[in-house]
Amino acid sequence: MKIDSITNGVVIDHILAGKGMELYHFLHLDSMDCSIALIKNAPSQKMGKKDIIKVDTALDLDLDILGYVDPGVTVNIIRDGVLIEKFHPQLPEKLTNIIQCKNPRCITSVEQEIPHIFKLTDREHGTYRCIYCESKAKE
Amino acid sequence: MRSLIDIVDLSVEEITELIDTANDIIANPEKYCEKCRHKKLATLFFEPSTRTRLSFEAAMLELGGNVIGFSAANNSSAAKGESVSDTVRTVGCYADIIAMRHPKEGAPMIASMRSPVPIINAGDGGHNHPTQTLADLLTIQREKGRFDHLTVGLCGDLKFGRTVHSLIHALSRYEGVHFVMISPEELRVPEYMIQEMQKNGISYEETRSLEEVMPQLDILYMTRVQRERFFNEADYIRLKDSYILTLDKLETAKKDLCVMHPLPRVNEISVAVDDDPRACYFKQVSNGKYIRMALILKLLEVE
Ligand SMILES: [Zn+2]
């Protein structure tokens, strides 16, 4: 795989420098067979440094996770060597089993089968709260 | 089928409707004494709270219904590791409505998502206790005849005091309410609530001194400074006596001040205040039963 050119796949650009590895794990890219490039600390005009992830296969991205982990990223979808779509993911309204409630008094701390669900309660500040105990998700 | 988990689940109209029903029950109790015949209320108390449980049970009995249930986890299936969801699914086969108290925050919410019958949150840890707030609202309505244009003093533990937080939420929906928050620095209303109040344009002030603000209050809501909220015994002992209401302090208060307290008290209100006509905290207890009656009727959709 040449890092600069993919024929069918996804390029996640403008990842905050240092966040690339976190996204890599959140998107479960470690379990994929195709070629994947994680570029760290690439020079960027507007960000100084940035991370980039390139995946050489058409895949369904969990945009909720992307939007939550780093809402500043740019997603480029490439098909037959052509950029067909480019967008910025939004902060999702709801996160299910992406982050864990850390409140030791929350019912999710004693009952393992309960899904951890967070709702966006303040889009401006990107605040998520557990739907059960209303604790803020830790940054 | 609806449940009551958080006081904000109820609209202003629904609260008015519950209060109207409760007032009608108080005026005409005989009209209601058969309303829940052959219906069962289950009280599932995963942590003990005798007062709240008795209030729910008395409410159901006065409606002509029956009561089953358990108290405290150590002698129930929950102690053997059964989930809240399984417990309510099981109990929902026997009972028509469930009042649940649980030490973990959000447990009644999970229960309401899985239960075949309505769930009433009877307190989930330090989180919500909507029927206490309903009792407070009924008391304010009966004593003051209104919710708008009141100056409401909140005194004591405003940091952990969930009853205070829900009361602020509930009263913030009415016009012209001014909150006076009286607490030691360590037990101030949490920052996020202050921000919320500022954002919503709610009128408030904060003070360390009860005496200073006493003359302006229409309502004085006292709270207990609880030992279990402190990590450090010395902090508790230093703070617990800071905000005690005595007859002396009441001297500058309005003649029609309404003094409230969620009970049980330790020593936040001296016993001498009990005989003052402004003491409303035992009325709050009896109002609690009537508003729970109204709530049971509403959730069971009994006409
Ligand atoms: Zn939680």
Side-chain angles (χ1 to χ4, degrees):
Chain A
M1 172 190 183
K2 272 201 242 154
I3 283 178
D4 286 324
S5 63
I6 39 182
T7 9
N8 284 299
V10 179
V11 177
I12 306 168
D13 200 358
H14 303 119
I15 304 170
L16 272 180
K19 281 263 187 188
M21 202 58 185
E22 201 182 325
L23 263 186
Y24 181 88
H25 287 300
F26 268 118
L27 293 169
H28 303 294
L29 296 179
D30 45 345
S31 63
M32 294 190 67
D33 287 333
C34 64
S35 359
I36 295 168
L38 167 59
I39 302 159
K40 293 180 70 169
N41 302 321
S44 158
Q45 280 196 334
K46 66 173 180 184
M47 303 169 72
K49 277 196 273 181
K50 65 179 179 181
D51 290 359
I52 307 169
I53 292 175
K54 298 188 178 192
V55 184
D56 201 5
T57 188
L59 83 164
D60 274 336
L61 278 178
D62 189 334
L63 297 172
D64 284 359
I65 298 179
L66 266 183
Y68 174 69
V69 177
D70 187 354
V73 302
T74 310
V75 180
N76 302 280
I77 311 281
I78 292 154
R79 196 153 303 154
D80 300 324
V82 183
L83 175 68
I84 58 158
E85 207 186 341
K86 182 173 183 156
F87 58 88
H88 302 282
Q90 298 284 306
L91 276 182
E93 283 297 325
K94 200 164 118 180
L95 297 170
T96 302
N97 288 331
I98 291 169
I99 41 174
Q100 301 271 308
C101 184
K102 299 274 165 52
N103 174 7
R105 298 178 307 275
C106 180
I107 183 66
T108 56
S109 71
V110 286
E111 292 199 10
Q112 268 69 42
E113 328 73 57
I114 298 174
H116 287 241
I117 303 174
F118 282 76
K119 270 203 174 127
L120 182 62
T121 55
D122 183 348
R123 186 169 284 279
E124 194 185 328
H125 298 100
T127 308
Y128 283 89
R129 288 184 185 276
C130 171
I131 64 158
Y132 310 108
C133 70
E134 295 174 89
S135 294
K136 242 188 193 170
K138 295 278 175 296
E139 252 78 287
Chain B
M1 196 270 301
R2 259 195 76 184
S3 295
L4 178 62
I5 304 304
D6 186 332
I7 190 70
V8 299
D9 297 344
L10 294 171
S11 67
V12 168
E13 292 73 29
E14 286 173 312
I15 287 176
T16 307
E17 183 196 321
L18 285 171
I19 285 175
D20 289 348
T21 308
N23 280 325
D24 194 50
I25 296 171
I26 295 170
N28 312 289
E30 69 291 342
K31 228 170 93 183
Y32 292 87
C33 65
E34 294 281 327
K35 289 272 185 195
C36 286
R37 232 174 111 86
H38 305 306
K39 301 259 187 216
K40 281 191 280 303
L41 163 78
T43 51
L44 308 188
F45 276 53
F46 292 84
E47 82 178 349
S49 171
T50 309
R51 286 162 181 278
T52 306
R53 187 167 54 86
L54 290 181
S55 179
F56 272 106
E57 295 186 355
M60 192 54 167
L61 293 174
E62 283 193 34
L63 290 167
N66 295 299
V67 174
I68 56 175
F70 64 78
S71 183
N74 51 6
N75 57 4
S76 74
S77 54
K80 294 172 202 133
E82 188 179 56
S83 68
V84 166
S85 306
D86 284 1
T87 305
V88 296
R89 265 183 250 176
T90 308
V91 175
C93 300
Y94 309 132
D96 301 283
I97 186 165
I98 293 172
M100 175 191 283
R101 191 181 185 95
H102 199 287
K104 292 292 178 186
E105 300 173 9
M109 155 85 102
I110 272 286
S112 73
M113 291 158 83
R114 307 289 156 77
S115 166
V117 299
I119 300 281
I120 301 172
N121 182 358
D124 57 337
H127 187 215
N128 284 318
H129 191 9
T131 57
Q132 174 69 53
T133 308
L134 286 174
D136 297 344
L137 291 175
L138 178 59
T139 306
I140 292 170
Q141 196 279 333
R142 288 183 67 81
E143 297 304 314
K144 292 284 157 201
R146 66 177 198 277
F147 293 122
D148 54 316
H149 300 93
L150 292 170
T151 298
V152 182
L154 306 160
C155 180
D157 176 0
L158 307 187
K159 184 177 182 184
F160 300 104
R162 63 177 167 193
T163 51
V164 167
H165 301 167
S166 336
L167 192 62
I168 292 175
H169 280 134
L171 286 176
S172 292
R173 304 198 271 190
Y174 300 92
E175 215 169 291
V177 175
H178 176 66
F179 295 101
V180 182
M181 306 189 287
I182 311 144
S183 74
E185 182 63 36
E186 291 86 342
L187 295 176
R188 286 177 56 213
V189 169
E191 202 45 45
Y192 77 89
M193 286 206 64
I194 300 271
Q195 285 171 4
E196 219 176 274
M197 291 169 84
Q198 284 171 345
K199 203 173 97 187
N200 297 325
I202 309 295
S203 165
Y204 74 92
E205 64 189 279
E206 287 189 88
T207 174
R208 309 281 155 261
S209 160
L210 177 55
E211 286 96 325
E212 224 167 71
V213 294
M214 187 65 93
Q216 56 168 311
L217 303 179
D218 297 309
I219 289 163
L220 173 57
Y221 199 100
M222 300 293 297
T223 63
R224 185 156 54 108
V225 174
Q226 292 183 77
R227 185 185 300 265
E228 60 264 33
R229 299 293 181 218
F230 287 86
F231 293 111
N232 179 329
E233 184 76 7
D235 282 351
Y236 170 70
I237 291 172
R238 184 171 52 84
L239 287 172
K240 76 176 162 79
D241 294 342
S242 314
Y243 297 85
I244 291 178
L245 182 64
T246 56
L247 278 178
D248 276 0
K249 286 184 191 159
L250 267 180
E251 233 153 62
T252 61
K254 288 187 182 169
K255 291 283 159 274
D256 63 347
L257 171 73
C258 167
V259 178
M260 300 172 65
H261 189 294
L263 300 183
R265 71 176 148 184
V266 181
N267 59 351
E268 309 81 49
I269 303 179
S270 83
V271 178
V273 175
D274 295 0
D275 295 327
D276 191 290
R278 290 169 286 192
C280 295
Y281 28 94
F282 289 108
K283 290 185 201 166
Q284 243 172 304
V285 176
S286 99
N287 289 334
K289 180 190 70 183
Y290 291 117
I291 202 77
R292 286 180 178 101
M293 290 171 75
L295 180 64
I296 291 169
L297 289 173
K298 180 180 170 63
L299 296 181
L300 285 179
E301 295 172 355
V302 175
E303 287 303 310

